[in-house]
Amino acid sequence: MRLTLHTDYALRVLIHLGVHTSRRVSIREIAQAYRISENHLVKVVHRLGQGGFVTTVRGRGGGLELARPAAEINVGAVVRFTEDDMTLVDCEGRNSTDGKPCVLSPACVLRGVLGDALGAFLAVLDRYTLADLLTGREAALLGLSSFPEGDQIYGP
């Protein structure tokens, strides 16, 4: 299982916002902190806004912030929302050259095994919230000596 860059960036945005809870953050700031494209982040932030994970405020003093406390943002929910297709194998032939389902599909046990594996993967992610990902080390790696005054640390 490999998550898309879209999901990777979505999680980075949420972590960055979780580190900076006392102020709004710009897309440019996040892009510079993680050395990723602002243009791509605009799409990611838009999608996170649609999902109710972030709030955006336009104009002077505007920016991004978490839409709810980090402890209420489930990592599994974020991954499910940002991943378009979590199919591990194409048993139905949607991506095959002939568009036909796999000939083994009626008797194949592999699809069930992979379904169980995906379920286990998502079950692990469901056990964590954004708060669990915020340990304090993020601030140091983002160039902050400590969390800015008023910002909160969640998790261990």
Side-chain angles (χ1 to χ4, degrees):
M1 175 84 211
R2 184 179 185 113
L3 299 176
T4 61
L5 275 178
H6 187 85
T7 298
D8 177 19
Y9 292 171
L11 292 168
R12 291 183 200 207
V13 166
L14 294 173
I15 289 169
H16 196 89
L17 296 177
V19 169
H20 300 285
T21 58
S22 67
R23 65 180 177 85
R24 293 189 184 108
V25 176
S26 71
I27 289 175
R28 172 169 285 151
E29 177 184 331
I30 298 169
Q32 289 173 348
Y34 292 109
R35 298 183 197 117
I36 55 181
S37 162
E38 280 185 53
N39 291 333
H40 195 74
L41 275 184
V42 167
K43 297 172 192 170
V44 170
V45 166
H46 178 72
R47 183 86 172 124
L48 287 171
Q50 289 175 327
F53 299 106
V54 300
T55 301
T56 58
V57 177
R58 291 180 174 223
R60 186 173 176 86
L64 313 170
E65 57 192 6
L66 294 176
R68 53 188 187 265
E72 295 177 17
I73 298 176
N74 181 271
V75 175
V78 173
V79 170
R80 282 182 185 86
F81 186 76
T82 56
E83 285 293 318
D84 289 331
D85 182 10
M86 301 211 22
T87 304
L88 297 180
V89 291
D90 184 20
C91 299
E92 303 305 317
R94 289 181 298 245
N95 296 319
S96 66
T97 54
D98 62 5
K100 295 180 182 176
C102 174
V103 296
L104 298 176
S105 197
C108 184
V109 178
L110 180 61
R111 179 170 31 189
V113 170
L114 292 176
D116 288 349
L118 179 60
F121 173 74
L122 292 171
V124 169
L125 294 179
D126 287 339
R127 293 194 325 239
Y128 295 93
T129 67
L130 177 60
D132 296 319
L133 305 181
L134 303 175
T135 63
R137 292 181 289 249
E138 295 80 12
L141 292 173
L142 293 172
L144 304 170
S145 57
S146 62
F147 278 83
E149 188 173 323
D151 285 352
Q152 300 175 7
I153 298 288
Y154 297 92

